[in-house]
Amino acid sequence: MSRIEVMGCPVDSYNMDQTIVEVEKSIHNKSMCQHVVVNVSKFVEMQSDSKLKEIIASCDIINADGMPIVWASWLLGVPLPERVAGVDLFQELIRVCSEKEYRPFFFGAHEGVVKGVVESFQAKYPTLDVAGYRNGYYSEDEEAAIAGMIKESKADMLFVGFSSPMKEKFLNKWMPVMNVPFCMGVGGSFDIVAGKTKRAPVWMQKTGMEWSYRIIQEPRRMWRRYARTNPAFMWMVMKEMVGHDHNNNR
């Protein structure tokens, strides 16, 4: 495994194709693999949430979701090959499910959204065999029953569409019960696939400006988040660079 460390966070130096190879290994080996993507928001959240930091470090595949993480890796001398965006990987893995007859399960979002995800993928891939789906609204005492239902579905891949750190903590807690070979938190990707929100144009994705497009679509929710996390992340990178230069000059 080619795993590097960016500002104290482990990240796998994989491109998209290499990531998919690793995912398929977990399915063939029937091993349990938790996948996570790291972005600016998650880097900042990890500073105050030690449990989230611990879970991310324990994940079997860790991809850099945001371009700022890739840029930081270059600035700090541990260059990542590319960004592997969670929404892109999610959609590629559904294509693989269709081709290889793997069975996905979708868990999260409103009922209409998760149903829209299933319908969208089945329209695109008529041979796709969906193991099941469930909305993401439940009380804590329902968790064990939900985990049992997912286990009974005998899914090969589980995609969890709710926010961080809730999805990481749910998977970390219930993966041993669910016994799904590959589990991935996909956050707001369900909304994109179901057509509820739009993905930023490609030029924005490549230039690291996707966050500004999300603010335009969801100003109330996203403005506060990015106003807090973006400056905090820039400060973290600057501190790390200063420390890096100081150590090199000693």
Side-chain angles (χ1 to χ4, degrees):
M1 183 191 286
S2 185
R3 181 163 283 192
I4 63 163
E5 198 169 279
V6 181
M7 297 187 296
C9 178
V11 187
D12 290 315
S13 189
Y14 294 148
N15 61 25
M16 178 68 78
D17 290 341
Q18 290 168 326
T19 302
I20 291 170
V21 167
E22 294 302 313
V23 173
E24 289 206 77
K25 278 183 192 172
S26 71
I27 294 169
H28 293 150
N29 297 336
K30 298 289 183 188
S31 58
M32 282 185 288
C33 171
Q34 182 174 356
H35 173 280
V36 72
V37 293
V38 287
N39 53 25
V40 166
S41 177
K42 224 167 278 185
F43 259 80
V44 174
E45 294 303 326
M46 279 190 286
Q47 307 311 304
S48 58
D49 189 335
S50 58
K51 182 64 177 172
L52 176 63
K53 188 173 184 177
E54 179 190 317
I55 289 170
I56 288 171
S58 74
C59 284
D60 305 280
I61 302 174
I62 308 169
N63 284 134
D65 180 69
M67 278 308 298
I69 310 303
V70 176
W71 293 334
S73 75
W74 295 346
L75 288 169
L76 298 169
V78 284
L80 289 162
E82 66 180 32
R83 172 196 188 194
V84 181
V87 63
D88 294 332
L89 177 61
F90 172 38
Q91 294 182 86
E92 278 296 297
L93 288 174
I94 297 303
R95 178 187 61 76
V96 172
C97 282
S98 172
E99 289 176 2
K100 306 280 183 77
E101 299 183 348
Y102 302 140
R103 303 175 70 242
F105 193 107
F106 305 97
F107 174 36
H110 288 284
E111 182 71 19
V113 171
V114 69
K115 194 175 178 185
V117 169
V118 173
E119 289 170 352
S120 173
F121 281 137
Q122 286 185 322
K124 191 172 183 179
Y125 305 110
T127 61
L128 183 67
D129 181 10
V130 174
Y133 69 90
R134 191 201 188 279
N135 68 63
Y137 290 82
Y138 60 92
S139 60
E140 197 173 330
D141 59 8
E142 291 178 280
E143 283 190 356
I146 292 168
M149 177 188 68
I150 293 169
K151 179 183 180 178
E152 289 301 313
S153 77
K154 293 185 166 44
D156 297 298
M157 298 191 198
L158 169 65
F159 299 98
V160 178
F162 33 84
S163 61
S164 294
M166 189 178 170
K167 61 179 180 285
E168 287 84 6
K169 291 178 178 178
F170 176 87
L171 287 174
N172 180 260
K173 180 178 180 181
W174 293 106
M175 271 180 61
V177 173
M178 297 185 296
N179 201 31
V180 178
F182 176 77
C183 297
M184 176 183 181
V186 295
S189 299
F190 282 8
D191 287 341
I192 293 170
V193 172
K196 187 182 174 188
T197 58
K198 284 185 179 177
R199 185 88 189 274
V202 173
W203 71 266
M204 278 189 160
Q205 297 173 36
K206 289 184 174 176
T207 55
M209 294 298 291
E210 200 163 4
W211 60 272
S212 61
Y213 193 80
R214 293 189 71 188
I215 288 177
I216 293 166
Q217 291 201 86
E218 299 180 83
R220 265 193 192 164
R221 188 167 77 91
M222 291 300 174
W223 173 255
R224 205 175 309 167
R225 169 176 156 179
Y226 290 120
R228 180 175 64 86
T229 59
N230 284 9
F233 182 78
M234 288 169 67
W235 176 244
M236 285 168 63
V237 174
M238 282 172 24
K239 277 203 305 183
E240 191 76 15
M241 286 177 70
V242 169
H244 190 69
D245 290 343
H246 177 72
N247 288 336
N248 285 344
N249 292 330
R250 285 174 71 180

